[in-house]
Amino acid sequence: MSVLVLMEGADDELSLQALTFARELAQASGDGAEPSAFTIDGPYAPAAFGQTVADLIGARAPRAVIAPGSERGNEVMAHAAAILDEPLSANTTAFEPGDPPTVTRVRWGGSLLEQALLRARTLLITVAPHAVAAQAPGVMPEAVPASGHALALAPTERVGASSGGVTLEEASVVVSGGRGVGSAEGFAIIEELAGLLHGAVGCSRAVTSAGWRPHTDQVGQTGTKVAPELYIACGISGATQHMAGCKGAKKLLAINADGEASIFAHADYGVVGDLHAVLPGIAAEIRKARGA
Amino acid sequence: MHVYACVKRVPMTGGQITLTDDQRAISTRHLGFTVSPHEECAVEEAVQIVEREGGSVTVLTLGPAESEEQLRDMMAIGADQAVHLVSDGEEWDPQATAAAIVAAIRSDPQPPDLILFGNESADAGNYQVAVRVAHQLGLPCVTGVKAINISGGRARCEQEVPGGRDVYDAPLPAVVAVKEGINLPRYPSVPGRLRAKRKPLAASQPQRPPARLEMLRLELPPEAGKQVRILGQGPDAAPAVVEILSELGVL
């Protein structure tokens, strides 16, 4: 049984996770032959890349094609699935062989799991980020030239490169404010604390919906997904929409006036109190600790 | 311009999800419903495009009879008419969903110039219905879009990528899947709600084909089993917080 793995690069973390998933799938459902890894060579054009996967399936008849559940991985595999009229299991966390096999995949940005039967001639699967760990050895993926597709569009330019400063994705500390901040002006203290910790400012969906902060600051299922060393959630209740964006944080400190808020069930550390009273004290204490 | 915006009725989950006894759905006894956030932005974008370019907005959903509530909500913020593909209340997989949408769009005597989707639904998150619809209709498709500019029969779409935005110049008609942040959806006004009640809604009942991705059951992910350590109450907690910051090496 042959398994193909679509990689975005030999060192790409999510692609290496997809490789691990593919090895486990091959082991569980057959002879455990090493999956064949490939990258697609050519300027990115989603429909053309999808056609490349479809052509490769036509030429090599694999049992499964596995790809990372990245934005591009999901996009390319959706095109391949549409071209082939095959089902696609996106953001998959587990595979159980059978006829048909059963997949487990994430819903609600990871707040819920779904088990589903995958009825397909060729199993098309993307792997949810961080569902499995990347394992050695890596591979040297084969570079397959991109196919053409009549509907293919390629980007004509790239605009709006990040404007410096610490980005939400890269920050080792994220200080986020929720509805409890109360106003756009209320974010001054959030910004001050983030600045002191060389971190980035985040916010919940309630805040962007109210127009207090730009959507680029939103952490959540429909915003940015962050993975800092420390996430400080201030005046955030802990809705599933928000937690889907910050569950990658190593540690979570919650500051909330409501001691019963569900954020505390996800937190490592908690302070019960109004953030407008608590944060200035923390900022002052940091300055004191630094002798400033 | 005739713009379609496709939406899905989903529960408004709060802090904790509970499942029905048969584990095939979220228990919604105490929950309201909404449309997925990305899709609400798709409707707002459609309305703004038509405000600039002229034309009309059709909002479409595949969902149970109760989804009329969401269609009326979307007409209250400016969609002109609605298409309701009334489902049997069962889960439709992405292929079945796309096929039903394609059939509905093909039967419209006024073909759309632009078909907008949310990038992925809030609940199932399959990331593929828009792409499938595009291929079946033979139209170009751009996903993950955070800005659309219509000019000269083309849609200039900005796709969010790490480090910036990739620009795609799509000839119309086209399919575009948008993300929250492309705009800030307006709230429905009272007159808007009243007008929405009288706007045309065409309902039909497509047949559900056998699922190729067949949902069996839902489950809650294993709890991390975290035990929160309360560092204190109010401003007095500051020294304990700074001690933790120091321990974590972020000070």
Side-chain angles (χ1 to χ4, degrees):
Chain A
M1 194 187 90
S2 68
V3 176
L4 296 181
V5 185
L6 170 59
M7 298 185 73
E8 292 181 34
D11 301 322
D12 176 62
E13 175 66 21
L14 297 185
S15 298
L16 290 166
Q17 293 173 13
L19 177 63
T20 301
F21 186 97
R23 283 177 175 149
E24 290 173 0
L25 183 148
Q27 222 125 56
S29 53
D31 49 15
E34 176 69 4
S36 309
F38 69 102
T39 56
I40 300 174
D41 200 17
Y44 185 65
F49 274 39
Q51 184 67 53
T52 313
V53 174
D55 289 347
L56 214 51
I57 289 169
R60 303 190 189 176
R63 175 67 182 122
V65 180
I66 314 296
S70 58
E71 300 279 349
R72 282 194 171 180
N74 280 329
E75 184 174 43
V76 170
M77 292 294 274
H79 279 278
I83 290 164
L84 296 165
D85 195 24
E86 285 277 13
L88 163 66
S89 173
N91 293 319
T92 312
T93 60
F95 175 88
E96 207 179 296
D99 188 19
T102 304
V103 289
T104 304
R105 55 178 302 277
V106 305
R107 288 192 165 213
W108 291 99
S111 305
L112 202 56
L113 296 171
E114 163 190 9
Q115 289 183 354
L117 297 173
L118 186 54
R119 302 179 193 281
R121 291 176 293 272
T122 307
L123 304 170
L124 303 180
I125 293 172
T126 70
V127 181
H130 312 295
V132 294
Q135 284 167 358
V139 283
M140 186 46 69
E142 172 192 359
V144 174
S147 305
H149 191 285
L151 299 173
L153 289 176
T156 53
E157 58 175 318
R158 176 161 297 182
V159 296
S162 64
S163 56
V166 186
T167 68
L168 268 178
E169 288 98 329
E170 297 162 356
S172 61
V173 178
V174 174
V175 186
S176 265
R179 205 188 295 273
V181 177
S183 66
E185 298 71 37
F187 269 85
I189 186 62
I190 305 275
E191 284 175 348
E192 186 185 341
L193 183 59
L196 279 171
L197 297 172
H198 309 292
V201 172
C203 68
S204 69
R205 182 159 182 264
V207 167
T208 51
S209 296
W212 300 345
R213 300 292 296 187
H215 189 273
T216 44
D217 283 359
Q218 186 188 311
V219 172
Q221 188 182 340
T222 51
T224 303
K225 286 155 184 92
V226 300
E229 295 295 318
L230 176 65
Y231 190 80
I232 306 180
C234 310
I236 290 176
S237 67
T240 55
Q241 145 79 223
H242 189 74
M243 300 319 297
C246 64
K247 63 181 158 58
K250 297 227 173 46
K251 295 287 179 187
L252 196 153
L253 163 62
I255 300 167
N256 204 298
D258 175 8
E260 303 292 306
S262 63
I263 188 77
F264 288 115
H266 303 281
D268 300 279
Y269 311 102
V271 175
V272 180
D274 179 359
L275 68 99
H276 293 293
V278 174
L279 295 188
I282 295 174
E285 195 70 23
I286 291 172
R287 290 199 174 90
K288 201 169 92 187
R290 286 178 179 158
Chain B
M1 294 263 304
H2 183 200
V3 185
Y4 263 76
C6 300
V7 302
K8 183 177 186 183
R9 172 184 164 94
V10 294
M12 276 190 265
T13 57
Q16 203 180 356
I17 291 177
T18 50
L19 298 175
T20 55
D21 290 341
D22 67 2
Q23 279 191 275
R24 289 182 57 82
I26 290 177
S27 170
T28 54
R29 235 177 317 168
H30 307 293
L31 300 180
F33 287 83
T34 183
V35 302
S36 300
H38 295 318
E39 295 152 14
E40 192 178 346
C41 292
V43 175
E44 174 65 34
E45 194 66 17
V47 171
Q48 289 186 17
I49 288 169
V50 163
E51 282 170 352
R52 286 193 302 266
E53 309 286 324
S56 75
V57 176
T58 300
V59 58
L60 177 151
T61 197
L62 168 73
E66 295 80 10
S67 312
E68 182 177 338
E69 178 192 351
Q70 279 63 49
L71 292 174
R72 296 287 173 200
D73 284 350
M74 295 301 103
M75 289 193 282
I77 63 167
D80 299 286
Q81 61 259 332
V83 172
H84 189 176
L85 307 175
V86 186
S87 75
D88 47 8
E90 289 295 312
E91 180 90 7
W92 287 51
D93 78 352
Q95 281 167 287
T97 303
I101 294 171
V102 165
I105 290 175
R106 280 203 178 120
S107 72
D108 191 325
Q110 192 200 351
D113 303 289
L114 183 63
I115 307 168
L116 298 182
F117 286 86
N119 199 55
E120 80 279 359
S121 62
D123 58 348
N126 285 304
Y127 288 82
Q128 56 190 271
V129 172
V131 176
R132 290 184 186 277
V133 168
H135 278 274
Q136 284 188 46
L137 292 173
L139 301 178
C141 180
V142 189
T143 70
V145 169
K146 283 285 189 87
I148 303 176
N149 282 292
I150 305 290
S151 172
R154 303 184 77 86
R156 183 184 186 275
C157 302
E158 296 181 11
Q159 179 188 57
E160 197 176 41
V161 294
R165 290 178 176 192
D166 277 349
V167 179
Y168 290 80
D169 184 30
L172 298 178
V175 174
V176 178
V178 307
K179 278 188 170 181
E180 189 179 68
I182 188 172
N183 54 45
L184 191 57
R186 68 196 76 185
Y187 287 107
S189 63
V190 173
R193 287 206 176 278
L194 292 173
R195 273 196 301 277
K197 285 185 186 174
R198 295 188 300 271
K199 287 181 178 175
L201 185 154
S204 61
Q205 287 179 298
Q207 287 298 306
R208 178 168 53 90
R212 310 259 324 262
L213 180 68
E214 184 185 343
M215 193 266 281
L216 295 174
R217 70 188 77 82
L218 303 173
E219 59 187 45
L220 294 165
E223 283 292 324
K226 271 188 182 174
Q227 189 61 48
V228 62
R229 190 172 132 202
I230 297 295
L231 302 174
Q233 312 276 330
D236 296 345
V241 169
V242 173
E243 203 172 301
I244 292 294
L245 297 178
S246 173
E247 260 176 47
L248 296 176
V250 297
L251 197 58

